[in-house]
Amino acid sequence: MAKDAVLIYPPIKFGSKESFTYPPMGILYIATYAKKMGLSVKFIDSLIEGGTKEEIAASIVNENPKFVCFSIMTCQIHSAMKLAEMIKNANKDIKIAFGGSHIASTKEELFHFTKDVDYLMYGEAEKSFYELYNAKNEEDLSKISGLIYRAGDAIKINPNVPIQNLDELPFPDLSLTKLYAYNGYYVKSLPVATVMGTRGCPFRCTFCDQFATMGREFRFRSPKNIVDEIEHNHDTFGVRDFVFKDSTFTCNKPWVYDICKEIVNRKLRINWSCNTRVSMVDEPMLKAMKEAGCYMIAFGIESGSQHVLNMMKKGTTVEQAYKAIRLCKEANIEITGYFMIGNPGESEEDAIKTIELAKEIDLDYATFGVTIAYPNTEIYHWALQNNCLKDRQWYMKEVDTDIVGTREINGGALDKEDFPLDVQLELCKRANKEFYFRPSYIIKKITKIRSFSDLTRNLKAAAEIM
């Protein structure tokens, strides 16, 4: 039976599968809302399902849908455009919409590169996609929040209206996914599910494009609503491991305490992790989080050099990183650190400070990557002004490669005269080797292996680093 809509998270590279990835929340929310409103939907996450472009396109066309909706990050734009072309060649009557963070940052730009995409959407699209599906004429289109569409020779861009009451949205429907295909570097058990408790971010980090999709204002789901979702997925799907995908989970302390109380009072035996800033944790809150099942916090530490952090407008200090990690260790919560190399104002010596910091504070996990100037970020505009980008639309120039991510490294990194890209890449390799292959670190990881799945996960992670 034909589906009304197919909603797809396209691959970064055709023919490959990601070993470590989580359910994509944005497109899954849209699919769930459409299903709740009565549409028959198919959800495809090509990052974990894999497939050639022919196989993926056929799986979509065979459903004979009225609409296909793509959610794309910048690194997925080329695979999405190829799929759109194949879908249109097979059935020109299928309507295609693109949304996601890349569209939020570039708005109507994609219309100048393809005729295969009928609509673009930016911002929060749960309600908007359903309204688009049911639109009958241009008057209907003009009322849809965040819709970008062609009207004759003109391109119309509707205002985006953020959803204020997040509790009114249905929980992402995990039955639409291949739940057991998801895994993470440090999850305690499978299956694993993701949770979003907030939307929006008021911080001004120069490298981040989240504001384009979610806005500058924090909006919160109620603690009861969040824990209702956790309990539902625990009871229905057997999920005991949850990953909060909020960029700054601890931005509102009373809210965090209330979530922890809900979990404890319901006697939910779960494990969970979250992301936050090194400036936003304290001892009492970490104790409450640990009691409620928090086992891991990921911090965007970014750099070991204060003047680089200042250039990034991170709003944190190196000293706060030391303190936050110490407090987490005292609370028996593991720590992941994210670091960037090649930022504006950064030298090779600064990058070495970053590597030394990561080792000195003794994180449980660390991720090192070169800085990428994503469109519409402050770093992107800085890079153009300082001649650090070879092409202002670097993301539209596909690179023929077998290495996932090389397109971004080749085009979107800051190739600075005083800190060239090849040096940045070498330092990233050095950072991974020096961090993960320390004898003390290897011994610590071996002593924490409790099962065959732990061993397998660690070996896969090591293979990706080498």
Side-chain angles (χ1 to χ4, degrees):
M1 184 176 178
K3 293 288 191 294
D4 293 320
V6 174
L7 298 103
I8 178 169
Y9 199 52
I12 299 171
K13 175 179 176 289
F14 289 111
S16 67
K17 296 181 182 181
E18 295 290 310
S19 298
F20 301 106
T21 188
Y22 301 122
M25 297 300 286
I27 190 73
L28 187 54
Y29 260 111
I30 296 169
T32 301
Y33 188 88
K35 180 181 175 181
K36 178 189 176 185
M37 299 303 290
L39 301 187
S40 60
V41 302
K42 179 176 182 178
F43 173 76
I44 301 173
D45 181 357
S46 295
L47 289 191
I48 55 102
E49 295 181 33
T52 65
K53 59 180 178 289
E54 292 82 7
E55 290 169 339
I56 298 171
S59 71
I60 296 170
V61 173
N62 289 343
E63 298 291 343
N64 194 28
K66 176 180 175 182
F67 256 97
V68 178
C69 179
F70 288 78
S71 176
I72 54 172
M73 299 183 295
T74 297
C75 57
Q76 296 165 300
I77 183 64
H78 289 281
S79 62
M81 288 174 65
K82 286 181 179 179
L83 289 171
E85 180 183 15
M86 295 180 74
I87 292 166
K88 282 292 189 181
N89 286 341
N91 185 345
K92 62 181 177 57
D93 293 327
I94 296 175
K95 298 298 183 183
I96 297 177
F98 276 18
S101 60
H102 182 81
I103 304 304
S105 293
T106 59
K107 299 297 189 295
E108 78 281 6
E109 181 183 82
L110 194 69
F111 276 159
H112 302 300
F113 287 88
T114 178
K115 298 294 185 183
D116 298 315
V117 179
D118 299 286
Y119 303 101
L120 302 172
M121 308 187 80
Y122 71 101
E124 298 161 357
E126 288 90 350
K127 298 178 181 180
S128 297
F129 176 73
Y130 178 71
E131 291 170 358
L132 175 61
Y133 181 90
N134 289 293
K136 304 299 183 185
N137 49 47
E138 188 174 336
E139 182 180 357
D140 291 342
L141 295 178
S142 69
K143 299 174 183 177
I144 299 173
S145 172
L147 182 67
I148 305 171
Y149 62 100
R150 299 182 182 93
D153 294 330
I155 294 176
K156 303 287 188 178
I157 304 177
N158 294 346
N160 175 57
V161 181
I163 298 170
Q164 292 302 316
N165 181 10
L166 299 179
D167 282 6
E168 70 185 23
L169 295 173
F171 305 148
D173 186 352
L174 298 183
S175 71
L176 294 172
T177 73
K178 291 179 168 58
L179 187 58
Y180 274 89
Y182 295 101
N183 202 346
Y185 287 103
Y186 45 75
V187 299
K188 299 294 185 184
S189 61
L190 296 178
V192 58
T194 43
V195 184
M196 283 281 293
T198 64
R199 294 188 181 183
C201 182
F203 301 108
R204 302 279 173 167
C205 303
T206 58
F207 56 85
C208 185
D209 62 358
Q210 188 191 51
F211 70 92
T213 304
M214 298 295 187
R216 293 287 189 188
E217 178 188 0
F218 270 132
R219 288 160 289 138
F220 298 86
R221 292 169 59 190
S222 68
K224 180 183 181 302
N225 182 257
I226 292 168
V227 183
D228 282 347
E229 178 184 348
I230 290 172
E231 188 169 32
H232 168 75
N233 289 333
H234 176 274
D235 294 346
T236 306
F237 302 103
V239 179
R240 293 179 52 234
D241 208 299
F242 294 86
V243 181
F244 280 94
K245 296 300 291 180
D246 311 87
S247 59
T248 314
F249 180 77
T250 62
C251 59
N252 182 332
K253 288 182 183 179
W255 179 79
V256 174
Y257 277 114
D258 287 344
I259 291 173
C260 293
K261 288 176 184 176
E262 283 280 344
I263 293 172
V264 171
N265 289 342
R266 299 191 198 192
K267 296 182 171 59
L268 287 172
R269 297 176 63 83
I270 60 170
N271 303 305
W272 54 275
S273 61
C274 65
N275 309 298
T276 193
R277 298 163 66 86
V278 294
S279 58
M280 291 190 164
V281 292
D282 59 36
E283 183 178 355
M285 184 172 58
L286 290 173
K287 182 178 179 181
M289 292 168 65
K290 178 66 178 180
E291 183 182 1
C294 178
Y295 67 91
M296 169 74 73
I297 297 178
F299 292 102
I301 301 173
E302 319 304 359
S303 176
S305 175
Q306 189 59 52
H307 83 88
V308 174
L309 290 173
N310 294 344
M311 282 282 291
M312 296 164 69
K313 299 183 180 178
K314 182 67 182 179
T316 60
T317 66
V318 176
E319 289 73 23
Q320 287 172 332
Y322 278 99
K323 182 179 179 182
I325 274 59
R326 176 179 58 80
L327 290 174
C328 286
K329 287 184 175 296
E330 290 174 357
N332 197 27
I333 294 175
E334 294 184 341
I335 317 107
T336 292
Y338 296 123
F339 299 93
M340 302 165 63
I341 289 175
N343 292 286
E346 184 175 17
S347 65
E348 185 174 347
E349 291 72 24
D350 291 320
I352 291 171
K353 284 184 182 179
T354 297
I355 298 170
E356 294 304 316
L357 173 67
K359 294 188 294 184
E360 185 176 344
I361 57 181
D362 196 26
L363 300 165
D364 295 283
Y365 302 89
T367 298
F368 303 90
V370 295
T371 300
I372 302 296
Y374 288 106
N376 200 35
T377 61
E378 189 170 331
I379 277 185
Y380 175 79
H381 298 297
W382 180 92
L384 291 176
Q385 293 169 4
N386 289 273
N387 298 315
C388 293
L389 282 180
K390 297 175 183 177
D391 189 332
R392 70 180 302 116
Q393 291 176 319
W394 60 267
Y395 41 87
M396 299 307 299
K397 306 299 186 293
E398 186 174 13
V399 176
D400 184 15
T401 179
D402 289 329
I403 304 173
V404 173
T406 297
R407 180 190 302 117
E408 294 181 64
I409 290 174
N410 280 357
L414 308 183
D415 199 359
K416 305 184 292 180
E417 287 187 9
D418 58 349
F419 193 7
L421 177 56
D422 58 350
V423 178
Q424 298 173 32
L425 292 170
E426 284 302 315
L427 282 170
C428 283
K429 293 178 183 177
R430 170 181 166 181
N432 278 315
K433 289 179 180 178
E434 290 190 9
F435 183 87
Y436 284 106
F437 293 99
R438 292 171 290 158
S440 60
Y441 183 84
I442 293 172
I443 292 170
K444 181 172 72 171
K445 294 303 294 182
I446 290 173
T447 60
K448 289 188 175 183
I449 292 175
R450 294 289 182 267
S451 65
F452 181 74
S453 62
D454 283 349
L455 176 62
T456 302
R457 187 166 53 248
N458 278 279
L459 290 175
K460 280 185 179 180
E464 291 197 359
I465 294 167
M466 295 174 68

